[in-house]
């Protein structure tokens, strides 16, 4: 990987992803594995690479390295997508309007709701019995 890189951090639910983008040969690794081996679910890689298409960049000229931890598959996918968008924005500030319009720079603030006292979960109440 090249010495000059641009870094972006993305978070979603319990997941956080640190994404580094540098100009290079198009190597895409996630947690030191090829991206195809880490994100095996159909459509996840295309979703993560959405910001690259929105910014009109060529993925084969970018080295992308992602370190992701915590949460599940969907949270990690969305965290990586946000981190990649932020890194591309630092790399080329001209891409900001396109990334913002496509919704890639907005953090999804939805998190797990806390459990309330007297309930079984966040909203599930114990079964009501009349007698």
């Amino acid at each position: 990987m090249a010495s000059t890189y641009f870094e972006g951090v993305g978070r979603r639910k319990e997941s956080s992803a640190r994404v580094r983008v540098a100009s290079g040969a198009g190597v895409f690794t996630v947690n030191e594995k090829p991206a195809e081996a880490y994100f095996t679910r159909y459509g996840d890689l295309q979703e993560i690479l959405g910001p690259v298409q929105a910014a009109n960049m060529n993925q084969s000229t970018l080295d992308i390295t992602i370190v992701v931890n915590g949460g599940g598959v969907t949270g990690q996918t969305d965290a990586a997508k946000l981190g990649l968008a932020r890194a591309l924005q630092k790399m080329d500030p001209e891409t900001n309007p396109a990334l913002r319009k496509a919704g890639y720079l907005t953090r999804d603030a939805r998190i797990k709701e806390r459990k309330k006292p007297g309930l079984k979960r966040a909203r599930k109440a114990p079964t009501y019995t009349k007698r």
Side-chain angles (χ1 to χ4, degrees):
M1 188 170 180
S3 60
T4 304
Y5 59 85
F6 299 89
E7 190 169 76
V9 176
R11 292 185 190 87
R12 171 84 209 291
K13 291 185 173 183
E14 292 293 314
S15 304
S16 68
R18 198 172 74 236
V19 182
R20 289 183 176 180
V21 178
S23 55
V27 179
F28 187 14
T29 58
V30 181
N31 289 357
E32 298 178 2
K33 293 181 186 175
E36 300 81 30
Y38 192 85
F39 289 110
T40 56
R41 204 169 63 172
Y42 178 77
D44 278 354
L45 277 180
Q46 290 79 8
E47 190 178 336
I48 292 170
L49 292 172
V52 177
Q53 273 93 40
N56 287 328
M57 292 185 170
N58 190 356
Q59 194 228 325
S60 60
T61 61
L62 298 173
D63 282 346
I64 303 170
T65 305
I66 302 176
V67 177
V68 67
N69 54 10
V73 181
T74 303
Q76 289 188 352
T77 301
D78 290 346
K81 180 172 61 171
L82 176 61
L84 179 59
R86 287 179 174 173
L88 291 174
Q89 180 191 20
K90 282 184 185 174
M91 190 175 192
D92 185 9
E94 306 276 314
T95 62
N96 187 28
L99 291 170
R100 174 104 21 223
K101 186 169 188 251
Y104 290 120
L105 293 175
T106 306
R107 190 215 192 280
D108 192 344
R110 296 176 296 170
I111 57 169
K112 186 170 181 166
E113 193 174 334
R114 69 174 287 268
K115 181 192 176 298
K116 278 82 171 190
L119 301 180
K120 291 182 174 179
R121 296 195 304 258
R123 298 185 183 207
K124 183 174 170 63
T127 309
Y128 172 76
T129 54
K130 191 171 182 180
R131 290 182 180 84

